[in-house]
Amino acid sequence: MKTKYAWQQVILHWLSAAIIIWATISGFYVALFDVSPQLKDWMGFFNVSLTTVFIPFFILRVWYLFKLGKPKQDKPATLASRAADIAHMLLYINISLVLISGVLMMERDINVFNLFVLPQPIDNLALTQLFNRIHIVCCATLSGLVLLHILAVIKHELFGNRIMRKMWL
């Protein structure tokens, strides 16, 4: 019986965690606090570049989820385990919506670390503003889901259910 995630899933999980937590905290920081225009521009450039590069890795992560699945439980499914499965699926859906809306809200070409430029996907201000609003809501929702995920892991670890072992190499 498979008791741990595959190494590919572990690496992609921690890569996702680092990028999502960075982009969420830094994005909310520049949105909610009075920061210099230079910092706001740099943070926008860096986060757009980083999350654009992240998209294929996230697609690969979803592919591995469907290809390899998750470790089997040694006990029958409970209401709590089903709720956890739903919460995980909501995380994947929400991350997808954040990435898609992030691309579609762009009102300029997407410069990726000054290495290459992707053309602006939509040239309609009303639509880009709509996707910007969707992006903000999805980012707020994602931050709540990530917090819930972290709190659930802490709760499980504190009560002796060592689930972190599944997510290490």
Side-chain angles (χ1 to χ4, degrees):
M1 175 182 354
K2 178 175 141 180
T3 60
K4 293 177 73 172
Y5 286 95
W7 66 269
Q8 301 93 330
Q9 291 171 294
V10 172
I11 290 170
L12 290 168
H13 171 270
W14 292 110
L15 175 71
S16 299
I19 291 171
I20 290 166
I21 290 169
W22 164 263
T24 301
I25 291 172
S26 63
F28 279 119
Y29 176 74
V30 298
L32 299 175
F33 294 98
D34 187 28
V35 298
S36 71
Q38 296 84 1
L39 177 62
K40 192 170 191 164
D41 288 346
W42 180 85
M43 198 72 71
F45 168 76
F46 185 80
N47 283 357
V48 167
S49 295
L50 183 65
T51 54
T52 300
V53 170
F54 174 62
I55 291 170
F57 290 99
F58 180 71
I59 292 168
L60 187 60
R61 183 171 180 198
V62 172
W63 182 78
Y64 275 119
L65 172 68
F66 289 110
K67 181 178 188 268
L68 301 176
K70 63 179 195 164
K72 302 292 182 221
Q73 296 186 67
D74 33 334
K75 51 190 174 206
T78 63
L79 183 59
S81 67
R82 287 191 180 106
D85 288 342
I86 290 168
H88 280 103
M89 199 50 61
L90 288 173
L91 267 168
Y92 279 97
I93 291 167
N94 201 281
I95 294 165
S96 300
L97 291 172
V98 166
L99 293 171
I100 292 166
S101 63
V103 169
L104 296 177
M105 74 180 211
M106 296 302 293
E107 295 178 357
R108 62 186 183 286
D109 292 343
I110 302 169
N111 178 345
V112 181
F113 293 118
N114 290 323
L115 298 173
F116 61 93
V117 176
L118 299 171
Q120 177 186 2
I122 299 174
D123 189 18
N124 178 313
L125 187 58
L127 271 178
T128 57
Q129 288 175 342
L130 171 65
F131 282 113
N132 183 272
R133 287 190 297 276
I134 292 169
H135 186 71
I136 291 167
V137 169
C138 290
C139 286
T141 305
L142 180 58
S143 64
L145 288 169
V146 167
L147 181 61
L148 179 67
H149 181 67
I150 292 168
L151 291 173
V153 169
I154 292 169
K155 178 239 174 212
H156 283 291
E157 289 291 326
L158 289 175
F159 286 90
N161 184 6
R162 306 302 306 265
I163 60 172
M164 284 292 290
R165 292 181 189 167
K166 297 177 183 180
M167 199 46 80
W168 292 109
L169 294 176

